[in-house]
Amino acid sequence: MKDRTTAHALIWRLPLLIWQGLFFVGPLLLMVAMSFWLVKNYRMTPDFIFDNWERMLTRGYFWDAYRVTLWRATLAAVLASLIAFPASFALAFKLSETARRWALFFLVVPFFTSYLVRVYAWQVLLAESGPINAVLGWVGLGPFTMLNSGVGAMVGYLTLVLPLVVILQTFSLAAIDRNLIEAAWNLGASPRRTLLRVILPSAKVGLIVGAVFAFILAFGDFVSPFYLGGSKPPTLSILIIDTTKSGQQWPRAAVVAVMMIGTLFAVAFAAVGAAYGRRK
Amino acid sequence: MKALLPRLYLVAIFTFVFAPIVTSMVFSFNSDRFPTVPLGGFTLHWYETAFARPEVWTAFGNSALVALSAAALSTALGFATAYTDFRYNFRWKPAYLALALLPPTVPLVIMGLAMLAWLGRLGLSGTLPGIVIAHTVMGAPFAMAICRLRLSQMDPSLEAAAWNLGASPMRAMRVVVLPFCMPALISAFCLTAAVSFDEFVVAWFVSGLNKTVPVMILEILQGNVDPQINAIGTVVFVTSMTLVIAAQLIILRKTSR
């Protein structure tokens, strides 16, 4: 079809523009604008002042939260990628087509179970008197304190992101041309060398996309740090919730949100650069 | 047995992924109030107490209403966008597609805050339509992806043939394109309903007193250990899985023909 805008074309094109304009772009722009509003006597009035920004960005607790969130999300992305890789490798290269399809189906299942209920289950499992410590106790270990710590939060993050990372990695590994790998073998490359010089570079985009999604999800999640990580120190998302729910401090919460979006943009751009940038 | 080690690793990964799901199902039938091993006896007590509470039924009613409405809107919006991408080229198309696919990358807490402020201005905060609007924004990209995949299996000249035979664009849409996309539309409907049925962050920000099921779970969680959560969670899980499996079966059956 040529670029000819007919009524028929507009009927199908406009709904999204109108809807996303009204209910996606609109809310986000309002939120950015709100970060410059004035709050006085628990009432917000539209304004253009930098009080909220100054207030948040000069506070130590904001930067503590920022550091914790950034660090944990990075760790979650790295751990998820490393833990997922052998599994994705096995799924892509060691299993039959049918087995792989079933495995992927079962990896999709968790997306449709309540993340909250799964986190609650981890609360039960990881508790001081919970099943895991009971089993460890039989072999004379523990009890370990896993809840309300970075360990607990990390278990939650991995619960959230691991299935997605495995799926994305598996797709990118399965898409590699098998002839490339066999050629490397025939030319006498060791398995290690084949992995490093052929498989990893070919699957680079999928691996990076997986890590970025893990980062984005962990960066924005508030359930795991709150219910498994003990919310001390708070993450940025916990900060947003606390600030929003305490009176009319929405503009300050908006400052945190804008900082988060900025960080995510920076990470996404860096990742796209790494994925599609200079090839050897 | 060279493949033993990879298989064991896969089993370990799947154990990690499914441990919380299985745990919550098992403990929903466990008679002890405090979850310990060994397990207590089998009981339906937590289901009975949970579903004896009227607010649980109200929440399920709210969730069903929101999920069905959001699914219908998401599917319509997703299909329109997918069709636009399939059929037309225009100047700002990359930006248009980015706008369509961006919502899932915005952290839910931020969506929640932005929606709360925006819907408050429109007088919709604390209402079910407010939640429907938010869930439609979040569901439409998934619906679009599913419809787009189905459209890419369609021969583009099929529609053109209908036009040449004298069908108006709308009639061609009704007689040719929509029937072809029906399995995708149904499965998009099921999946977006499942997404909405489980979503709690934005719903929590926006809902006010009209709670959906996950919002209620969140509020119970803020209290004490309560096995009712496992019972409610299991019911939610079975509901969502029914939707997902229905979607999967419809896609497999219809597209394999």
Side-chain angles (χ1 to χ4, degrees), chain B residues 68-117:
Chain B
L68 293 178
S69 321
L73 283 168
S74 306
T75 306
L77 207 54
F79 174 78
T81 312
Y83 177 76
T84 298
D85 177 37
F86 167 75
R87 178 57 67 195
Y88 298 103
N89 271 318
F90 46 95
R91 225 171 126 195
W92 298 99
K93 195 164 163 185
Y96 179 84
L97 292 179
L99 184 68
L101 296 172
L102 223 45
T105 63
V106 177
L108 295 170
V109 175
I110 296 178
M111 274 297 257
L113 174 63
M115 280 289 176
L116 175 65

Side-chain angles (χ1 to χ4, degrees), chain A residues 101-253:
Chain A
R101 198 170 295 160
W102 275 103
L104 288 175
F105 174 75
F106 278 110
L107 285 171
V108 175
V109 167
F111 290 105
F112 298 98
T113 67
S114 168
Y115 175 44
L116 270 178
V117 175
R118 280 185 287 156
V119 163
Y120 174 70
W122 277 121
Q123 255 187 353
V124 170
L125 285 170
L126 296 177
E128 207 107 340
S129 57
I132 291 181
N133 268 323
V135 172
L136 289 175
W138 293 336
V139 290
L141 289 172
F144 295 102
T145 307
M146 292 176 279
L147 284 180
N148 299 330
S149 68
V151 177
M154 205 48 67
V155 169
Y157 289 141
L158 289 178
T159 306
L160 181 65
V161 305
L162 199 58
L164 180 66
V165 177
V166 174
I167 290 172
L168 291 171
Q169 287 189 351
T170 304
F171 275 132
S172 64
L173 288 173
I176 297 176
D177 188 351
R178 299 299 165 101
N179 293 329
L180 274 179
I181 299 170
E182 294 203 351
W185 278 101
N186 291 341
L187 292 170
S190 66
R192 216 180 95 101
R193 204 171 147 79
T194 313
L195 179 70
L196 290 179
R197 302 305 292 271
V198 177
I199 297 178
L200 285 184
S202 314
K204 191 169 78 171
V205 172
L207 301 180
I208 291 177
V209 168
V212 169
F213 267 100
F215 182 90
I216 292 178
L217 287 175
F219 193 75
D221 179 36
F222 84 94
V223 176
S224 285
F226 192 84
Y227 290 104
L228 298 173
S231 74
K232 280 194 186 88
T235 59
L236 291 176
S237 42
I238 295 178
L239 210 57
I240 288 186
I241 288 171
D242 285 350
T243 319
T244 312
K245 302 260 165 184
S246 68
Q248 286 283 352
Q249 288 302 349
W250 296 1
R252 285 186 204 163

Side-chain angles (χ1 to χ4, degrees), chain B residues 28-31 41-50 231:
Chain B
S28 76
F29 296 109
N30 180 32
S31 60
F42 175 87
T43 181
L44 290 175
H45 175 72
W46 308 115
Y47 288 88
E48 285 160 11
T49 47

